[in-house]
Amino acid sequence: MCLVWRRRRSYAPHVELEVRHLRALCAIADTGSVRKAAVQLGMTQPSLTTQLRRIETAIGGLLFTRGQTGSRPTPLGHSVLSRARPIVAEMAALVTAAREAAVGVGGVRLRLGSIGSRAVTGWLSRIHERLPETETTIHIEVSSNTLLQLLATNQLDVAFVHEAEGFPLHVPPGVERRVLIAREPRFVALSSAHAAASREVIHLAQLAQEAWIVDPTADDEATALRRAFTAAGLDPRLVHVRDTTTAAELVASGEAVRCCQPTADPTPGTVIRPLYGDPLTAQLSLACRPGSLPLVELDALFADLMDAYVAVSGRNTAYRAWLDRHGSPLLPSVGSH
């Protein structure tokens, strides 16, 4: 008897590409980082890295180059992304339309998106008062880039976003922004027992030895802070904290300090002060897709948001003083709210 042994060939498991895979590729391209994309998608970085390798195996080529500056699409990657983006957008629009049909939406619906801000509550109150019959929803995000993507894929009608100076947002095609505040300063929150807490304005050098809290999911927050310290010849220690309650407790205890919006309220045991020279600033704007809402309604939403912002600005003593020093046009309206 003649026995013939045949070597069994092994094949990589075949991966059927799904919309979630295409969404992952778009997220990596938009954020320029597998780590940032994983946070945006609610995944761990190792999981997304494994998923990317499987996608590249299924397609048969490298889609991104990885380096110290992040992940950048290869020529093949650009080709795949150009086809993936319309599919992701269409799927998002399909899901939105299906959900609306499922719940039997017969009236007008307004879908808002926003960064975290004390102006949001007043914005919603004004909209509800002006449009009592409109069903209004709001999606709060730390990342303005995420809000812009939701807007571009027809999951939001308008979005209140901010852009750190020197770090442009990734504005998708078809999305426009109307500037609300051209240059809003970032203040610092620190313990009321801190030696610098009694000062009206604080120099970065006075906080050079402190640990600075940053949210790793916030667009370019850590990078902007490092740039400001580098310009001052300093080297900060950064602590990544996503939970706001923990962050507030760390600041109150004197363990750390953190940047904050000038409209923010100090939490118990803390004070909020402006930074000398305003080394950290941001532009606030209302983003929309032209034609998604009537122009008169966009104008009204912008006016509602501006009124709400002016109102909260007037309630913050430190910000009022800053506005006064800079001769801001917001100030005359502040006292009337």
Side-chain angles (χ1 to χ4, degrees), residues 214-216 218-227 236 238 240:
V214 293
D215 186 338
D219 301 312
D220 299 306
E221 180 182 27
T223 308
L225 184 59
R226 285 191 183 280
R227 186 184 67 172
L238 302 188
H240 289 186

Side-chain angles (χ1 to χ4, degrees), residues 30-33 35-37 39-40 69-70 72 115 142-146 148 162-171 177 186 213-229 238 240 259 279-282:
D30 292 336
T31 62
S33 161
R35 178 183 60 80
K36 291 181 180 179
V39 172
Q40 179 176 308
T69 58
R72 297 290 180 266
I115 54 171
V142 173
S143 167
S144 290
N145 280 315
T146 298
L148 291 175
H162 71 171
E163 177 181 88
E165 185 177 7
F167 298 91
L169 293 172
H170 304 290
V171 182
R177 289 179 292 167
R186 283 294 179 264
I213 293 174
V214 293
D215 186 338
T217 62
D219 301 312
D220 299 306
E221 180 182 27
T223 308
L225 184 59
R226 285 191 183 280
R227 186 184 67 172
F229 269 90
L238 302 188
H240 289 186
C259 288
L280 298 162
T281 62

Side-chain angles (χ1 to χ4, degrees), residues 210-296:
E210 305 295 337
W212 285 74
I213 293 174
V214 293
D215 186 338
T217 62
D219 301 312
D220 299 306
E221 180 182 27
T223 308
L225 184 59
R226 285 191 183 280
R227 186 184 67 172
F229 269 90
T230 299
L234 305 170
D235 185 20
R237 291 183 293 132
L238 302 188
V239 180
H240 289 186
V241 180
R242 295 181 60 182
D243 177 62
T244 55
T245 300
T246 301
E249 291 177 350
L250 288 171
V251 172
S253 69
E255 291 292 333
V257 300
R258 64 171 171 169
C259 288
C260 63
Q261 297 169 6
T263 54
D265 268 337
T267 56
T270 71
V271 296
I272 292 176
R273 297 287 185 264
L275 290 167
Y276 179 79
D278 304 320
L280 298 162
T281 62
Q283 182 187 88
L284 308 184
S285 58
L286 187 67
C288 66
R289 298 184 317 280
S292 62
L293 291 172
L295 182 59
V296 64

Side-chain angles (χ1 to χ4, degrees), residues 39-82:
V39 172
Q40 179 176 308
L41 295 168
M43 303 172 61
T44 64
Q45 182 175 341
S47 295
L48 182 55
T49 299
T50 299
Q51 187 177 100
L52 176 58
R53 287 172 181 163
R54 290 175 178 170
I55 294 171
E56 290 178 327
T57 298
I59 290 176
L62 193 66
L63 299 178
F64 293 91
T65 57
R66 291 83 159 175
Q68 293 183 345
T69 58
S71 299
R72 297 290 180 266
T74 62
L76 175 61
H78 280 296
S79 176
V80 172
L81 285 164
S82 68

